[in-house]
Amino acid sequence: MNDSTHSGLTVTRFAPSPTGHLHIGGARTALFCWAFAKRTGGKFILRIEDTDLARSSEESARGIMEDLAWLGIEWDEGPVLRHLGGQRPIGGDPRHVGPFFQAQRLALYNQYIESLVRAGRAYPAFETGDDLEVKRKAATAAKKTYRYERPADVQPGVFNEDRWQQACRGDAHVVRFLAPHEQIVVPDQVLGDVKIAPGELDDFVIRKADGMPTYHFAVVIDDELMGVTHVLRAQEHLANTPRHVAMQKALRRTDTGAPFRTPLYGHMPLIFNMDGSKMSKRDKAKIARASLKAAMQKDPSLTPASLAMTLGIDEAALTGFIAADNDALDTAERIARHLKIALPEIEVSDFRGNGYLPGAIVNFLALLGWNPGLKTQDGKDLEKFDAAFIADHFDLARIGKANAKFDRNKLLSFNAEAIGALTAAEFARRWMEWLAEFEPEIHAKASRLSAEQLTILAGALKPRAKTLRDALRPAAFALAGDDEYTFDAAAVEKNLLSADRAGMKLLVEFRGRLDTVEPWTPEAITAAIDAFAKEKGMPNPGGIAQPLRVALTGAGVSPGLGETMAVLGKASSLRRIDRCVQTHGA
RNA sequence: GGCCCCGUCGUCUAGCCUGGUCCAGGACACCACCCUUUCACGGUGGUGACAUGGGUUCGAAUCCCAUCGGGGUCACCA
């Protein structure tokens, strides 16, 4: 630890626990911490809170870092993330305040635990979790507030050597903080000072029986030692904060002897689903379960046993899942794949997999609980901006206090606009990248298109796709082989066969014209269609356009015919028309 | 239940701190119309909110109080 932790530099941190993917709400927290550091010329730290040994994993930590990097939220200090592509690594430890995994900081925590115990501000306690559980339940049953009862031999400010010795001998114990009997004030830049009356805090655990510090303790130690000046986090942490403040007042640094400082807090509004429930990965299990139950009701031949077989999972596990005994993500995902249903996006990786652009997510997230308070030139609220803008304008004073609901429609609209703003070539590049990662089979098919075809296709896809995944549907015609796509019976009947095969006759006639279209561009093709329609005295080109569309794509719906045929190429276009004529008779 | 936080259109919000320019503005969604070769895109217009009740004031979305409503938290999880 060095003096830089005491400089005027603002330091923020995002401190996820590596127990899963990065939640979309966590991404917002990270974004705000990042933005505040950037705005104030400070540092943004990533710290991994892996003190829950049972649930933490390294893969999870890595995944969280990759999701952050994908969003463009890069940490100045923290674990080093090296991209495969050889871009510069993110993270590092220029101030020497690491390591950034809490499990690697045990010695530090223990040192502070002991200092607290010796100062009579903490003490070992020997009750088991079960003992306390009984008391807690009794209190709840009696409609009383449960508070841990401080043992009679524990006195504030007095080192309890007996207990310490007993603990050092190896008796199972936890260490509890000796809560002060005084008012605690949490300095909050969003909510204003939040005051807690004396006696509201009880003696909470700061070191678990397994020797790991609790979240509350580790946070306080690390924030001080890493020089964190501003703690921005979700409001669910507000009720815990008095504990942190109380500890900060009791602690002194073992290196300099200086008292711990209380950082400024900013508790941000929570994000919920539209129905007011928490956004949780359990939502995925809920949807999968409901869909599966509906499917089983519709088709009584589906049994847990047969389903377990087709899904490739254990029958007991599936039965448990259906009964809501477990919310196994893997089961939910298999069910979704089998039933072809979409699971709600909850984690950053979900949005990524479904083809959202990081810029759109960042923009949308920024607006959940914050806004720049600026107007556009025509007087509307400014709400479209990029990360650089946020880094330039972010401001704690403009964080809202009220909880927000996550409106997927609006996100979708933001994403659609972000896609629309891309050039066709840029869209093509991103789409192909996305396909390679998430739809490799389709990527292989799309790779057969020339760069020129792909760009024309991309131009046609852009306005029809709110996400990269959305583009799959309008692109289907171009990815299928000339004799692979199927004809939609209703569309064929309506556009080709009805009215004494009027559409088919026009199609055959127009087919003869196609040879002369030169060059084979969207514009020239469209001109040929228009000219033909005019010549035939049609009120609009629909009379020939629809038969053509059905012949070329099999459906009555597709991108513009000029683009469609240009993407297919002249040879394929003719082949497709011929196949249609053969299939349905001239 | 205790403690704490919050409350403007269905949703995200501007306005609130520094009362009057607000019979409350924007965006998404929705509806209608226009454009149109289908589906989209785009354009124009529209429906739609100050939770309720008391104060204070010449005047309140804005200040105060109460009520109601929503949320968070009360772990050897973070």
Side-chain angles (χ1 to χ4, degrees), chain A residues 492-520:
Chain A
V492 168
E493 174 59 33
K494 180 179 178 196
N495 298 299
L496 291 168
L497 306 182
S498 68
D500 197 23
R501 311 178 74 83
M504 184 61 87
K505 288 171 187 164
L506 285 167
L507 176 66
V508 170
E509 186 178 351
F510 185 70
R511 193 251 184 245
R513 303 283 184 89
L514 245 24
D515 281 325
T516 65
V517 174
E518 206 52 63
W520 193 255

Side-chain angles (χ1 to χ4, degrees), chain A residues 373-395:
Chain A
L374 299 173
K375 301 283 181 189
T376 59
Q377 285 179 342
D378 49 353
K380 299 179 173 182
D381 291 2
L382 178 66
E383 60 173 15
K384 295 295 168 64
F385 42 73
D386 60 11
F389 176 91
I390 300 169
D392 242 34
H393 294 268
F394 186 75
D395 171 16

Side-chain angles (χ1 to χ4, degrees), chain A residues 13 34 44-45 103 118 238 273 288 331 481 532 536:
Chain A
R13 50 49 168 195
W34 171 86
F44 169 56
I45 299 179
R118 291 193 181 278
L238 178 61
N273 287 316
T331 306
F532 182 81
K536 293 286 165 190

Side-chain angles (χ1 to χ4, degrees), chain A residues 15-18 47-52 56 100 102 215 219 222:
Chain A
S17 64
R47 184 174 71 220
I48 306 295
E49 311 224 327
D50 53 351
T51 53
D52 184 342
S56 296
F100 298 96
Q102 290 186 326
Y215 158 76
V219 152
D222 290 344

Side-chain angles (χ1 to χ4, degrees), chain A residues 288 292 311 313 317-318 321 326-336:
Chain A
L292 187 63
L311 295 171
I313 49 178
L318 183 64
F321 183 86
N326 75 69
D327 289 330
L329 217 71
D330 176 59
T331 306
E333 276 162 5
R334 280 168 194 253
I335 291 171

Side-chain angles (χ1 to χ4, degrees), chain A residues 244-315:
Chain A
H244 304 172
V245 174
M247 284 189 281
Q248 285 149 3
K249 297 217 177 303
L251 282 157
R252 288 185 161 275
R253 294 184 64 127
T254 52
D255 53 355
T256 62
F260 274 35
R261 295 151 307 152
T262 292
L264 290 171
Y265 290 91
H267 286 98
M268 312 181 304
L270 267 17
I271 303 174
F272 294 99
N273 287 316
M274 287 300 276
D275 66 2
S277 63
K278 269 193 186 182
M279 276 183 90
S280 151
K281 54 188 167 192
R282 295 216 176 103
D283 295 349
K284 294 186 196 175
K286 259 189 246 170
I287 298 288
R289 182 176 297 125
S291 303
L292 187 63
K293 281 184 172 173
M296 289 170 77
Q297 206 149 39
K298 230 187 212 171
D299 179 358
S301 75
L302 293 175
T303 64
S306 73
L307 281 165
M309 186 81 90
T310 47
L311 295 171
I313 49 178
D314 182 59
E315 188 186 336

